[in-house]
Amino acid sequence: MALSFPLRIGFRYFFSRRRDRFLSVVTWISLLGMAVGITALIVVMSVMNGFEAELRNRVLSLVPHGFIDGPERRLSEWPALMEAVANEKGVRGVSPYTGTAAMLVRGDRLRGIQLYGIDPETEGSVSDIEQQLVEGRYLAEPRFEILLGDILARRLQLTVGDRVTLVLPTVTVTPLGLFPQEKSLEVAGIFSAGADIDGNTAFVHLKVGQRLLRLGDAVNGLRVEFDNLFAAPESLARLATRLPEGVETQSWAQTQGSLFQAVKMEKRMVRLLLFFIVIIAAFNIISILTMAVSQRRSAIAVLRTMGATPTTVVRIFIVYGLLTALLGIGLGAVIGVPVAMNVSELIAFLETSLGMKVFNPDVYFISAVPSVFRWLDFVVIVGAALVLSVLATLYPAWQSARIEPAEALRYD
């Protein structure tokens, strides 16, 4: 009963038709401001989640979850270690590899790359390189062939069947002096992951990589894929405790971590900037309640003389202010959630209707706006907006409880 009275009076004050017109306009501005802020936060966070997921899927489709490197990057007894790692809990696949920085030269064009030697029979368990081929063939035979990313091939003006010179960071000693080690390779295929890796990565057959790096039957290490991408760093750390001495491990969080940390930092900054819209709307609630208290001084005095306590008056105006916030939050959620869930389709519809392209596929890695709606983000956004709204009502509501009935009624 004690709670229902403030609710009834708060609702009556808010929906009263005799309110001051200026107060009504400010109330609607605050309500719409809250709705715009909530809608923007929900949609933008979903789009940024989509970009993060798209980036993760594209980059990690070719980059394994972890590396296990031998002492001084030379692993001789790798078949036994590979079998032991494959039997570990949570490991989905293991494949040997060789890797080095190198340079590709064609005519007057040259590019620095990261060159990997991979085993075609086991590489499919740790990456999707074969599925990412857009031209040519996979590395089925240990020939002097190379797979290039489409961006790298375009920069060097290479197509399938062309030859390119590989320059390695080792030297060959001849009677005429020291010369960098070079090898002519045929372009067997071109892949496209739709990420920066397409412009700086190339693959050769594992046996070709062993021969180029003069490793004999040894490899540089193992590439490992885990069942859970996000648990990979912890799983790899636990696995490292059972590996032979001198063997080192490196997870995707270390090799690609800076990229994803930059995306997370950008998400935080965008969330903070957009949240200022909600903060401004909350400050408007303070203005609304301050004007409402000033307008209803005599009504507050009558309530006090009828036995209403200061706490009851505070609750009445908290209800009054929260109604504005709740309506704004509700409107923002009703608009924001469907838009966030269907933003790709909406953008595609606008592109078709207006004859424009948001992302030109010739320039960008993606051609559509990705979106991943997460209920946790929604709960955090709505919860933070509610907390701000409650805090905004406290001071004006407290001021209403300080009104003295005799003073308010003296000039009424």
Side-chain angles (χ1 to χ4, degrees):
M1 188 69 181
L3 185 60
S4 63
F5 179 72
L7 284 174
R8 287 202 310 271
I9 301 301
F11 270 81
R12 183 178 298 175
Y13 282 178
F14 183 82
F15 292 106
S16 173
R17 295 183 179 179
R18 292 185 295 176
R19 282 191 302 169
D20 181 77
R21 181 170 296 180
F22 178 73
L23 180 59
S24 298
V25 171
V26 175
T27 301
W28 278 104
I29 290 173
S30 178
L31 188 153
L32 293 175
M34 184 68 74
V36 169
I38 296 296
T39 301
L41 275 168
I42 292 173
V43 174
V44 172
M45 291 309 301
S46 297
V47 170
M48 296 202 70
N49 289 337
F51 277 112
E52 184 181 18
E54 191 78 12
L55 181 64
R56 184 187 300 116
N57 293 336
R58 289 173 182 268
V59 172
L60 296 182
S61 65
L62 297 184
V63 177
H65 294 172
F67 293 88
I68 298 176
D69 293 332
E72 298 181 359
R73 301 199 73 244
R74 187 183 183 90
L75 195 61
S76 300
E77 303 298 328
W78 60 269
L81 181 61
M82 179 176 167
E83 183 179 356
V85 172
N87 292 328
E88 290 287 336
K89 183 179 179 182
V91 175
R92 181 186 298 170
V94 187
S95 181
Y97 85 98
T98 63
T100 183
M103 186 176 293
L104 290 179
V105 181
R106 208 239 179 156
D108 58 350
R109 298 179 181 86
L110 55 89
R111 290 286 172 181
I113 63 165
Q114 183 66 34
L115 179 70
Y116 291 102
I118 57 175
D119 181 7
E121 296 182 1
T122 58
E123 182 64 19
S125 65
V126 298
S127 78
D128 298 330
I129 175 71
E130 188 172 7
Q131 287 71 38
Q132 304 289 356
L133 286 178
V134 293
E135 293 182 49
R137 63 185 183 278
Y138 195 44
L139 301 170
E141 302 289 336
R143 302 170 181 166
F144 286 103
E145 299 175 331
I146 190 170
L147 298 180
L148 304 177
D150 60 343
I151 296 177
L152 184 59
R154 189 163 59 247
R155 288 172 176 169
L156 293 172
Q157 296 186 357
L158 291 168
T159 59
V160 173
D162 290 344
R163 302 198 71 85
V164 64
T165 301
L166 174 70
V167 181
L168 295 167
T170 54
V171 295
T172 301
V173 181
T174 69
L176 298 178
L178 301 177
F179 292 90
Q181 184 183 353
E182 298 181 359
K183 186 64 181 179
S184 177
L185 302 174
E186 181 183 345
V187 179
I190 297 173
F191 64 85
S192 176
D196 190 55
I197 196 171
D198 295 338
N200 55 31
T201 306
F203 298 92
V204 295
H205 195 284
L206 179 67
K207 291 185 178 180
V208 173
Q210 290 172 321
R211 188 170 175 179
L212 291 173
L213 298 180
R214 301 169 184 172
L215 292 172
D217 292 331
V219 297
N220 291 133
L222 303 175
R223 291 151 66 93
V224 186
E225 187 88 354
F226 292 93
D227 292 331
N228 188 337
L229 166 68
F230 299 103
E234 292 76 12
S235 300
L236 195 62
R238 287 194 300 270
L239 181 60
T241 60
R242 297 189 291 275
L243 294 176
E245 185 177 355
V247 174
E248 299 178 352
T249 61
Q250 194 175 33
S251 72
W252 69 269
Q254 294 168 287
T255 59
Q256 306 292 329
S258 59
L259 177 62
F260 293 101
Q261 287 298 326
V263 173
K264 287 183 179 180
M265 177 61 70
E266 185 177 358
K267 282 177 63 179
R268 292 193 190 102
M269 293 305 299
V270 170
R271 185 189 292 119
L272 178 62
L273 292 173
L274 289 176
F275 210 75
F276 274 104
I277 301 175
V278 179
I279 294 174
I280 293 169
F283 272 106
N284 284 340
I285 292 175
I286 298 176
S287 303
I288 293 166
L289 286 185
T290 301
M291 288 187 290
V293 169
S294 177
Q295 186 186 59
R296 298 186 181 275
R297 288 174 61 88
S298 59
I300 295 170
V302 171
L303 287 173
R304 292 292 307 278
T305 57
M306 293 176 64
T309 64
T311 302
T312 301
V313 175
V314 168
R315 289 175 178 172
I316 289 171
F317 283 93
I318 288 177
V319 170
Y320 188 105
L322 280 181
L323 280 173
T324 303
L326 288 172
L327 288 174
I329 293 171
L331 181 60
V334 167
I335 298 173
V337 172
V339 171
M341 289 182 171
N342 301 281
V343 67
S344 299
E345 291 78 6
L346 290 172
I347 296 297
F349 173 76
L350 290 175
E351 287 180 337
T352 303
S353 302
L354 302 177
M356 54 173 284
K357 279 287 183 183
V358 175
F359 293 109
N360 188 339
D362 296 330
V363 179
Y364 299 98
F365 292 125
I366 60 175
S367 58
V369 178
S371 178
V372 176
F373 175 76
R374 293 174 183 164
W375 285 106
L376 179 60
D377 288 341
F378 174 78
V379 171
V380 171
I381 291 168
V382 171
L386 282 173
V387 170
L388 277 175
S389 301
V390 171
L391 293 176
T393 63
L394 293 180
Y395 178 74
W398 175 69
Q399 287 288 350
S400 69
R402 297 182 62 193
I403 294 175
E404 294 294 337
E407 187 68 23
L409 294 173
R410 179 180 301 176
Y411 304 102
D412 191 43

